[in-house]
Amino acid sequence: MLVPTRHLIHVLYNLICVDQVGGSLGGLFAGIVFKRLGHAVRIFERNPTPLLHDQGAGIVAGGDAQAFFGKYDRTHRSIAVPSKLRHYLDKEGHQIHRENTTQQMTSWDLLYHLLRANFDGVKSDYCEVPPSAPSDGSGSYEYGHMVKGIRDGHDGKVEVDFEDRDGNKTSESVDMLIGSDGASSTLRKILLPDVKREYAGYVAWRGTVPEVEVSKSAKDAFIEKFAFYHSEGVQILSYTIPGKYGSLEAGKRLVNYVWYCNYPQDSEEYRELMTDSDGHRHHTTLPAGKMRPEIWDQQKDYARRILPPQFAEIVQKTTQPFIQAITDVLSPRNSFFDGKVLLVGDAVAGFRPHTAASTSQAAFDALMLSELMSGEMDNDQWQEKTMNYARDMQRRGVEMGQRSQFGHHPLSR
């Protein structure tokens, strides 16, 4: 049943205070929705610095992400490089299959800075900060905060406990709490401690190379194309993404790749792989700039031996590689405390990257939040739509990953 009109008036014209845990793309998508509906929004991000660090990751801008930016982005700048062809190479680098499919490719850093410009007016070289509208609410971004606990409070409020980067502890009373703190969500752990993020048995090596630095052969394979190579236990893909400050100009863009390789969790090779140059062991991501030189030298040699020459070239020319452990996690629900606490994006379901749908899920959940808060659907309908999306895409990701890494892909060579 839809929210009655008198309640709609209360929600839309009386300020509610919304706190969010997590300030990456998912948190910013949701934060902008609430702000545009006239509410007071505070994003609490655990990172100790005002801006999140750019890993240089490419993103496929799916339909939901494009729809979100079309509706909410007041900078009105283009966000993607078109990929006009999807094709597969053999070991020698020859095309063995092609599909005339157009997709839009973007980058994490461009989307992040556009969203920050829209949410809390952060200035950058990516875009001009757009003006606010009189009907907007407020948005603040509080970095260096970790959520420590939540309780169903008095008068329909939610009580949230935080600890800041200096160890100071505070409690907040809010109307709604949105958990957008990623696949390792602290908020989800508090609410559903039995839901675990599990390693899937392989990692993604990731990196980018400036377009101007690649050979003609590599340009022919990757520029404005979505290219793939499959062999037993290995998949690598590449596409063109925006360059520095989100430049879409030919010659100033980046060639982005994702290379999946298998490593058993209990193997010495995996432990060595996820141990950085300072001797620190990482569980999900080995950041750019922290890879041990001998590990990277081994991987470049492996690339020369097993990859098509175009792919081997861009691996060789990468100066800041990073590693992402592939994991699975799926929450059985995303609404708590009678709808006052909601999980969105990766906090609900962490998809394997084969789906290219993580950013789209966060955008979809935010678009559905807009319909929920505007009374176009009730909480049960919101849960059904967002959880169906999460379950379906999570299942697809597992199927795609298992076939790619542990089965037989039909275009494997």
Side-chain angles (χ1 to χ4, degrees):
M1 186 173 69
L2 296 180
V3 181
T5 303
R6 60 181 179 276
H7 183 61
L8 272 180
I9 294 171
H10 173 76
V11 170
L12 294 176
Y13 292 97
N14 288 277
L15 184 71
I16 69 170
C17 182
V18 183
D19 273 7
Q20 292 185 208
V21 178
S24 190
L25 303 187
L28 291 165
F29 282 137
I32 289 169
V33 166
F34 281 106
K35 182 181 176 182
R36 296 290 170 80
L37 288 171
H39 303 308
V41 189
R42 294 176 299 184
I43 290 179
F44 290 90
E45 165 58 44
R46 66 184 174 185
N47 192 282
T49 59
L51 294 174
L52 295 185
H53 176 65
D54 170 30
Q55 296 265 20
I59 292 173
V60 178
D64 293 306
Q66 293 177 54
F68 184 93
F69 277 89
K71 182 175 181 179
Y72 288 104
D73 178 28
R74 290 175 178 161
T75 72
H76 302 300
R77 68 150 292 173
S78 298
I79 66 168
V81 177
S83 172
K84 302 169 184 175
L85 174 72
R86 184 182 181 103
H87 68 154
Y88 296 77
L89 307 182
D90 63 13
K91 174 67 168 57
E92 287 68 44
H94 303 131
Q95 185 184 89
I96 57 173
H97 179 75
R98 61 177 285 161
E99 301 167 8
N100 294 318
T101 302
T102 299
Q103 292 176 269
Q104 303 298 319
M105 310 309 200
T106 187
S107 60
W108 182 93
D109 62 304
L110 173 56
L111 298 192
Y112 176 76
H113 284 91
L114 292 182
L115 292 171
R116 287 296 300 267
N118 280 279
F119 177 69
D120 60 335
V122 169
K123 297 179 181 178
S124 72
D125 291 320
Y126 289 82
C127 63
E128 297 291 330
V129 175
S132 297
S135 59
D136 286 352
S138 61
S140 67
Y141 195 97
E142 312 289 339
Y143 59 93
H145 283 74
M146 283 283 292
V147 64
K148 292 296 184 179
I150 60 170
R151 298 173 301 284
D152 201 353
H154 302 293
D155 301 323
K157 304 280 188 178
V158 180
E159 303 292 332
V160 193
D161 300 325
F162 290 102
E163 184 176 311
D164 68 17
R165 58 192 178 279
D166 298 319
N168 300 314
K169 296 179 180 179
T170 58
S171 293
E172 304 281 346
S173 180
V174 297
D175 297 291
M176 290 189 71
L177 180 66
I178 308 298
S180 53
D181 51 338
S184 294
S185 171
T186 300
L187 189 59
R188 189 190 64 237
K189 290 176 184 175
I190 293 170
L191 294 164
L192 299 167
D194 292 334
V195 176
K196 308 294 185 184
R197 187 179 183 185
E198 303 288 349
Y199 176 59
Y202 60 106
V203 308
W205 293 77
R206 304 193 65 164
T208 60
V209 179
E211 179 181 0
V212 293
E213 294 182 10
V214 302
S215 67
K216 181 181 184 304
S217 174
K219 283 188 171 101
D220 290 343
F222 305 136
I223 299 304
E224 298 188 4
K225 299 181 179 73
F226 201 175
F228 294 81
Y229 170 70
H230 290 269
S231 64
E232 185 177 351
V234 172
Q235 180 194 42
I236 188 168
L237 58 90
S238 180
Y239 50 89
T240 316
I241 65 172
K244 187 176 182 180
Y245 304 134
S247 176
L248 303 178
E249 183 180 341
K252 296 184 178 180
R253 302 168 299 186
L254 298 171
V255 176
N256 169 82
Y257 67 87
V258 183
W259 180 12
Y260 299 106
C261 296
N262 297 351
Y263 300 90
Q265 186 169 13
D266 58 357
S267 67
E268 181 64 23
E269 188 178 19
Y270 181 64
R271 287 191 289 272
E272 288 291 313
L273 183 71
M274 299 302 287
T275 301
D276 68 20
S277 53
D278 298 321
H280 177 68
R281 171 77 183 275
H282 296 261
H283 294 289
T284 55
T285 302
L286 185 77
K290 288 292 186 178
M291 189 173 296
R292 291 152 58 197
E294 66 272 23
I295 296 292
W296 184 228
D297 287 342
Q298 291 171 13
Q299 194 67 10
K300 288 190 290 185
D301 181 63
Y302 185 47
R304 278 190 291 266
R305 289 186 283 112
I306 73 153
L307 295 180
Q310 302 96 320
F311 279 111
E313 177 190 332
I314 58 175
V315 172
Q316 301 295 320
K317 291 179 176 178
T318 303
T319 60
Q320 292 289 314
F322 65 100
I323 296 173
Q324 174 187 0
I326 306 305
T327 61
D328 296 314
V329 65
L330 176 63
S331 176
R333 52 189 290 213
N334 61 357
S335 180
F336 308 84
F337 297 178
D338 295 324
K340 291 177 292 187
V341 177
L342 304 175
L343 300 179
V344 297
D346 290 344
V348 181
F351 303 150
R352 298 196 192 184
H354 310 276
T355 64
S358 178
T359 302
S360 285
Q361 177 188 217
F364 176 80
D365 287 353
L367 291 168
M368 294 302 99
L369 276 176
S370 176
E371 294 190 19
L372 172 67
M373 298 304 296
S374 299
E376 297 174 45
M377 66 173 67
D378 62 21
N379 185 265
D380 289 342
Q381 292 168 320
W382 182 84
Q383 289 182 70
E384 182 180 11
K385 285 194 173 186
T386 53
M387 286 304 304
N388 283 346
Y389 187 112
R391 294 187 190 103
D392 180 58
M393 200 59 68
Q394 202 269 345
R395 175 186 55 78
R396 283 199 231 173
V398 171
E399 290 173 354
M400 294 167 71
Q402 293 304 107
R403 182 181 68 169
S404 167
Q405 300 308 119
F406 307 107
H408 178 74
H409 192 278
L411 292 170
S412 178
R413 294 294 186 270

